[in-house]
Amino acid sequence: MTQAPAPSRSARRRHGREIIALAVPAFGALVAEPLFLMVDSAIVGHLGTPQLAGLGIAAALLATAVSVFVFLAYATTAAVARRVGAGDLPAAIRQGMDGIWLALILGIAVIAVTLPMAPGLVDVFGASDTAAPYAVTYLRISSLGIPAMLVVLAATGVLRGLQDTRTPLYVAIAGFAANAVLNAALVYGAGLGIAGSAWGTVIAQCGMAAAYLVVVVRGARRHGASLRPDAVGIRASAQAGVPLLVRTLSLRAILMIATVVAARLGDAEVAAHQIILSLWSLTAFALDAIAIAGQAIIGRYLGAGDTEGARQVCRRMVQWGIASGLVLGALIVLARPLFIPLFTGDDTVQDTLLPALLVVALSQPVSGVVFILDGVLMGAGDGPYLAGAMVLTLAVFAPVALLVPGLGGGLTTLWWAMALMMTVRMLTLWLRTRSGRWLVTGATR
């Protein structure tokens, strides 16, 4: 990172308060999101194994479809935060509306593809004859909620850019509660089975989208910002999102390759891999919360033309990322006797899991730096570099991971390859932040 004078103690405290104020509610909202699927699984699981299997397949397809468009949140956060930093709130909200309109367009397109292709998509996942009908039913109904899910992503980006992570937390909690009640009522009370679970989730997602739109529309009217779709603005939002889409697809490819390699190693290895991957994703929530704060704060500083403030807060967040990584790594090591039995009682899986888990613990500080610098560069609108860096990381990781089975390596070796992947990401991100080329000021990049 470009060297900057060490900030004063008061500046460090101010930056710390800013980060906490944004990161803590963001963490709560991030944790609330996977609880939707947990509730659906708990309720549908009592209907029978085929229904639960069908839900698992459909949920995986939906999660993939929605995660591909996570750039709606990231790109919108950075663009809105820059406008806020420049002191132009009407333009900031207008920028956010462009992202919301883009989300609606993309959501409708996904429905048009998913409804007719649902049976084929389920077959690709190798669903059994008993589970496939339930998967198709859940996927078709739930796809109707995808526009709402994408609007939630874009609107969350708007509010983060406006330096508000509390509202998304409140909406996520309300959505989770509504989803739980609706699922129970429709699955069992109305006797709709797995279809009731899907409809409950759709209704809850639509309610969340409506709540976000009320907040954004009120802000637009207060500041005199137009709510009408603007073709130029929507196109600009899409163009800004393309590099982040490339980045996301490359990351998804890395995770998919890791799972494929683990499956080649054997049943115990792939079972242990899924447990570790779940834990790895959980630790990512904590680190991603700080990264989200970074997106909003860095965008605001650069919009205000304060490169020095951007450098200082970047340095402060990196320190937080390293510290968080050390704490998370220690927790993984110390708590492993408690949580490993919760996932599996199979001695073979446990023996396979333990050494790989220690690799994950050791690499947590690296992950902390990666998440933070990723958020910093997203906040700076440095999407093209992030896309290129992730494609390079994929190019390094893929051959190394694919060689693991042929060279007689096991799951621990695979997770050393994952640690290498994170190290490559850290180096590419560190070189960029050190160069200072990301410090582009102004209301737009």
Side-chain angles (χ1 to χ4, degrees), residues 60-432:
L61 285 163
L62 287 166
T64 299
V66 174
S67 66
V68 164
F69 298 112
V70 73
F71 69 83
L72 289 166
Y74 294 159
T76 304
T77 297
V80 171
R82 276 185 174 269
R83 299 280 191 180
V84 170
D88 192 349
L89 282 176
I93 296 173
R94 174 66 262 176
Q95 186 95 45
M97 284 305 306
D98 292 336
I100 290 173
W101 281 112
L102 175 62
L104 279 172
I105 293 169
L106 292 173
I108 292 169
V110 173
I111 289 178
V113 171
T114 304
L115 286 178
M117 292 185 64
L121 292 170
V122 168
D123 286 342
V124 169
F125 269 64
S128 66
D129 292 340
T130 55
Y134 297 111
V136 171
T137 297
Y138 191 93
L139 181 60
R140 279 180 166 161
I141 296 172
S142 293
S143 68
L144 300 176
I146 287 179
M149 295 180 198
L150 300 189
V151 166
V152 167
L153 283 177
T156 299
V158 175
L159 295 179
R160 288 173 181 171
L162 294 171
Q163 317 296 296
D164 176 10
T165 56
R166 290 182 179 273
T167 299
L169 172 60
Y170 300 148
V171 173
I173 292 172
F176 166 71
N179 181 61
V181 172
L182 286 167
N183 266 260
L186 295 176
V187 171
Y188 297 113
L192 296 179
I194 195 169
S197 177
W199 280 117
T201 300
V202 168
I203 295 169
Q205 292 285 357
C206 288
M208 292 172 66
Y212 275 117
L213 289 175
V214 167
V215 174
V216 174
V217 168
R218 283 178 179 172
R221 289 177 175 170
R222 188 182 310 119
H223 295 286
S226 174
L227 296 172
R228 294 180 180 179
D230 175 54
V232 175
I234 294 171
R235 192 180 305 115
S237 293
Q239 290 172 344
V242 168
L244 294 180
L245 175 61
V246 173
R247 169 199 168 275
T248 300
L249 290 174
S250 299
L251 180 57
R252 297 291 300 184
I254 287 170
L255 297 177
M256 185 169 62
I257 289 170
T259 300
V260 168
V261 171
R264 291 180 181 176
L265 297 174
D267 291 346
E269 284 77 5
V270 74
H273 175 74
Q274 290 303 320
I275 293 171
I276 295 173
L277 199 59
S278 298
L279 182 66
W280 192 68
S281 299
L282 181 62
T283 61
F285 285 134
L287 300 173
D288 204 24
I290 307 175
I292 287 169
Q295 293 173 31
I297 296 171
I298 292 294
R300 192 186 79 232
Y301 271 103
L302 294 179
D306 187 357
T307 58
E308 190 59 46
R311 284 194 187 99
Q312 290 182 0
V313 79
C314 175
R315 174 187 291 176
R316 185 62 169 158
M317 283 188 293
V318 168
Q319 293 171 350
W320 278 52
I322 294 171
S324 299
L326 290 169
V327 171
L328 289 170
L331 285 174
I332 290 172
V333 172
L334 296 174
R336 69 188 188 282
L338 299 176
F339 66 77
I340 289 178
L342 296 177
F343 287 99
T344 180
D346 189 314
D347 291 339
T348 303
V349 174
Q350 290 187 6
D351 291 342
T352 303
L353 184 153
L354 187 56
L357 192 64
L358 295 177
V359 176
V360 174
L362 289 171
S363 64
Q364 283 302 299
V366 173
S367 297
V369 176
V370 168
F371 275 86
I372 299 310
L373 295 184
D374 209 35
V376 166
L377 295 183
M378 281 185 191
D382 206 8
Y385 182 85
L386 289 170
M390 189 61 79
V391 170
L392 173 63
T393 303
L394 172 60
V396 172
F397 172 77
V400 173
L402 292 173
L403 283 172
V404 169
L407 296 177
L411 186 66
T412 302
T413 306
L414 174 60
W415 274 94
W416 275 119
M418 290 287 284
L420 171 66
M421 178 270 293
M422 293 301 288
T423 302
V424 172
R425 287 187 69 189
M426 182 182 71
L427 290 174
T428 57
L429 298 174
W430 177 78
L431 288 171
R432 184 63 168 182

